[in-house]
Amino acid sequence: MSEELVVSRTEGAVGVITINRPKVLNALSNELMQVLSQALLAMQADSSVNVIVLTGTDKAFAAGADISAMKDWDYMDVYKSNYIGGDWETMKNVIRKPVIAAVSGYALGGGCELAMMCDTIYAAESARFGQPEIKLGTIPGLGGTQRLTRAVGKAKAMDLVLTGRMMDAKEAESAGLVARVLPVENFLEEVIKIAQGMAGMSQTTLMMAKECVNVALETTLEQGLLFERRVFHATFATKDQKEGMDAFVGKRAPAFNNM
């Protein structure tokens, strides 16, 4: 490849993956998603990484799927290849560690959907979100009608999907899509600081907590409460629970060892 499609690095216990197709505003392609999948799996396998941050450039987290690559495909092309399946769903199907989307600039179409596949979204004041597929004669296909509706409600999702308009970071936060909006200046550094705070927790407990929150979207309240209680009980089998509570009683900082 003539360009490195993603760039990975670690900062302490935080893994940072940067989408790197700036000339096309980080448009998502099969090749890019294959490389991104490999980077995510490497972070998942790295026991020194507790939290992953996924980001793009100042101008775009990802401005959508690569339209020039798909414009001439027909139904059998996309159906037989299961387009936007496989590597596109690694985030959802395989990654157990918390993943933060750090969004600056455009997160449109597949870019917005990729951000929503992460566990939470932090946005720079410059961020813009949207599902403009309707303007191309198609609809979202990577969760834009499903995750967006769960995040912001039916009325707002219908508005965004049926008009194809963009919403700014402030509106996205107000609607519940974004966890926090941060200044553009030193944006990624601030997100990494937040991630490092998370990464200072027990890796085991982080994964357990992530599982419980995700179950809340997939089951009834009664079943979710039971699942949460059983996982809460399970934490008492970990050394990190003993260390955390001993540290609290002893008025000292805990030293978790992910056990």
Side-chain angles (χ1 to χ4, degrees):
M1 290 181 294
S2 59
E3 61 179 345
E4 196 172 5
L5 296 177
V6 303
V7 178
S8 299
R9 71 180 195 274
T10 57
E11 295 200 17
V14 175
V16 182
I17 301 175
T18 303
I19 303 171
N20 187 42
R21 295 188 75 198
K23 293 179 181 178
V24 290
L25 296 179
N26 289 338
L28 307 179
S29 64
N30 281 330
E31 185 179 32
L32 169 62
M33 295 308 292
Q34 181 181 33
V35 177
L36 176 58
S37 175
Q38 293 167 352
L40 287 166
L41 291 171
M43 294 289 186
Q44 176 66 39
D46 186 344
S47 61
S48 70
V49 172
N50 284 5
V51 176
I52 302 167
V53 172
L54 178 63
T55 192
T57 64
D58 291 341
K59 290 185 177 180
F61 175 77
D66 194 338
I67 305 303
S68 62
M70 73 172 85
K71 68 182 184 65
D72 295 324
W73 294 345
D74 61 21
Y75 173 76
M76 295 310 293
D77 291 325
V78 293
Y79 180 75
K80 283 187 173 182
S81 66
N82 192 28
Y83 178 57
I84 63 178
D87 290 328
W88 294 69
E89 297 187 303
T90 296
M91 185 93 69
K92 172 177 70 74
N93 294 334
V94 183
I95 305 305
R96 300 179 68 196
K97 297 174 182 179
V99 183
I100 297 170
V103 176
S104 182
Y106 297 113
L108 304 177
C112 185
E113 290 166 312
L114 179 63
M116 290 190 289
M117 291 174 75
C118 298
D119 296 304
T120 192
I121 302 172
Y122 295 130
E125 293 171 337
S126 63
R128 298 291 183 270
F129 299 86
Q131 299 292 159
E133 290 89 346
I134 199 76
K135 296 180 178 180
L136 302 175
T138 187
I139 67 168
L142 194 62
T145 66
Q146 302 302 302
R147 291 189 180 91
L148 185 62
T149 303
R150 285 164 170 77
V152 305
K154 178 184 176 182
K156 182 73 75 172
M158 282 287 192
D159 175 43
L160 292 164
V161 171
L162 299 186
T163 67
R165 75 175 181 89
M166 290 187 287
M167 63 177 173
D168 62 20
K170 183 178 180 180
E171 182 182 356
E173 182 184 31
S174 177
L177 179 64
V178 166
R180 305 189 203 181
V181 177
L182 302 170
V184 172
E185 186 177 7
N186 300 320
F187 167 67
L188 184 57
E189 289 83 354
E190 291 302 313
V191 174
I192 291 172
K193 285 181 183 178
I194 296 169
Q196 287 172 334
M198 290 183 192
M201 312 302 174
S202 162
Q203 183 182 112
T204 307
T205 312
L206 284 169
M207 292 191 295
M208 288 177 167
K210 170 177 172 171
E211 288 179 1
C212 286
V213 174
N214 283 334
V215 163
L217 296 175
E218 305 295 340
T219 190
T220 65
L221 176 59
E222 184 175 358
Q223 291 169 327
L225 288 169
L226 178 59
F227 183 84
E228 177 191 74
R229 189 170 300 119
R230 291 294 179 255
V231 176
F232 166 71
H233 292 164
T235 66
F236 283 74
T238 68
K239 293 180 181 179
D240 283 342
Q241 175 268 333
K242 301 296 185 292
E243 168 61 16
M245 292 192 178
D246 283 346
F248 179 84
V249 173
K251 297 182 179 180
R252 60 176 175 82
F256 297 123
N257 61 9
N258 302 326
M259 300 291 290

